[in-house]
Amino acid sequence: MLAIAAAVLFFISFLINAADITTNDVFSSVNVMLIGLALLALHGAGIGHGRRVGRR
């Protein structure tokens, strides 16, 4: 789930950069990309991978 959110943030970052949209400093394309990288790192660490189904 976090990888999908990261992909969406990367796409938004690309659109902001490609369309040369002026945003404030908080929502710049670099900051959105860094949030996407943080989500991708959390996904790689195993956080947000879903529930484990165990047998008894």
Side-chain angles (χ1 to χ4, degrees), residues 13-34:
S13 174
F14 171 75
L15 287 179
I16 290 172
N17 192 17
D20 200 25
I21 298 172
T22 56
T23 59
N24 58 6
D25 291 335
V26 176
F27 294 112
S28 68
S29 64
V30 174
N31 288 342
V32 174
M33 182 182 63
L34 289 174

Side-chain angles (χ1 to χ4, degrees), residues 4-14 29 32-33 35-37 39:
I4 294 171
V8 169
L9 287 175
F10 287 142
F11 182 70
I12 291 171
S13 174
F14 171 75
S29 64
V32 174
M33 182 182 63
I35 293 171
L37 282 174
L39 289 176

